[in-house]
Amino acid sequence: MSKSPKQSPDRPHPRREPRIPLPLCLENLGRVFARCADYQTRTVCLAGAGERTLTVCYIDGMARTERLNDYVLRPLAQDERLARVPEGELLEHLRQGALYAQQVHRRTTLDQVAADLVGGCCALFLPGEGAGGQQLHRLLPHLGGAGGLGQGGQLRPAQLLSGAQAEG
């Protein structure tokens, strides 16, 4: 059996990047998980007021529901400061402690966000200037889930705007 001159013994099958060649937006994330019955989205009103909303995306069964509720949804719904923060400062406010998460990260590619959701994180999409009228601000601390990740109540760094995992 002969080897192709382009193949290296160290990397016989280089991965095509990006694996999902679509712009990062809420609509495209929905397309990626269109056949996944456990993919969930939820629109949340910040501080319970109807003027400002964001969309939380996660995979049920990979994200721990109780942690998603306690560390992401409850702070978003109850922190009245979120309704008053200027539009351009909201993401930084979320990153600096409005969410009860050890780490919050911003992502720039659909590949990263999809992998993070599969890993048990959640993504927050804020209305904005991004593709499809949405800007995905990716915060997600890994909040436990499948494969023993995040055991013992510890948050594991993940890669979206905010993260949580449902009970397995």
Side-chain angles (χ1 to χ4, degrees), residues 67-88:
R67 291 184 181 175
L68 179 62
N69 290 338
D70 292 345
Y71 301 158
V72 178
L73 298 176
R74 181 171 290 125
L76 291 173
Q78 293 179 350
D79 188 345
E80 293 181 13
R81 295 173 298 170
L82 295 176
R84 296 186 303 265
V85 172
E87 194 84 17

Side-chain angles (χ1 to χ4, degrees), residues 89-102:
E89 297 175 21
L90 183 58
L91 174 62
E92 193 57 30
H93 192 76
L94 291 171
R95 291 186 69 212
Q96 295 300 322
L99 296 176
Y100 304 157
Q102 182 180 13

Side-chain angles (χ1 to χ4, degrees), residues 9-168:
D10 297 333
R11 289 192 67 191
H13 304 288
R15 181 179 292 186
R16 178 178 52 96
E17 297 291 340
R19 296 179 73 192
I20 306 169
L22 297 170
L24 178 56
C25 67
L26 181 59
E27 182 180 294
N28 287 340
L29 186 61
R31 286 183 182 141
V32 170
F33 291 103
R35 298 181 68 192
C36 176
D38 294 326
Y39 173 73
Q40 302 290 317
T41 62
R42 179 170 174 184
T43 301
V44 178
C45 294
L46 296 181
E51 305 90 42
R52 231 182 198 174
T53 63
L54 57 77
T55 303
V56 179
C57 305
Y58 62 96
I59 298 177
D60 194 25
M62 296 305 293
R64 289 189 184 268
T65 303
E66 78 281 359
R67 291 184 181 175
L68 179 62
N69 290 338
D70 292 345
Y71 301 158
V72 178
L73 298 176
R74 181 171 290 125
L76 291 173
Q78 293 179 350
D79 188 345
E80 293 181 13
R81 295 173 298 170
L82 295 176
R84 296 186 303 265
V85 172
E87 194 84 17
E89 297 175 21
L90 183 58
L91 174 62
E92 193 57 30
H93 192 76
L94 291 171
R95 291 186 69 212
Q96 295 300 322
L99 296 176
Y100 304 157
Q102 182 180 13
Q103 292 187 15
V104 174
H105 299 281
R106 184 172 182 167
R107 290 295 187 215
T108 58
T109 70
L110 196 53
D111 284 0
Q112 293 169 322
V113 175
D116 290 338
L117 290 184
V118 170
C121 298
C122 74
L124 303 182
F125 283 84
L126 305 175
E129 66 277 359
Q134 296 285 328
Q135 185 174 11
L136 175 64
H137 291 287
R138 294 97 0 212
L139 302 174
L140 65 172
H142 202 282
L143 302 178
L149 300 174
Q151 294 294 329
Q154 297 177 350
L155 297 179
R156 184 183 149 212
Q159 298 85 16
L160 277 168
L161 185 56
S162 71
Q165 297 209 169
E167 289 185 72

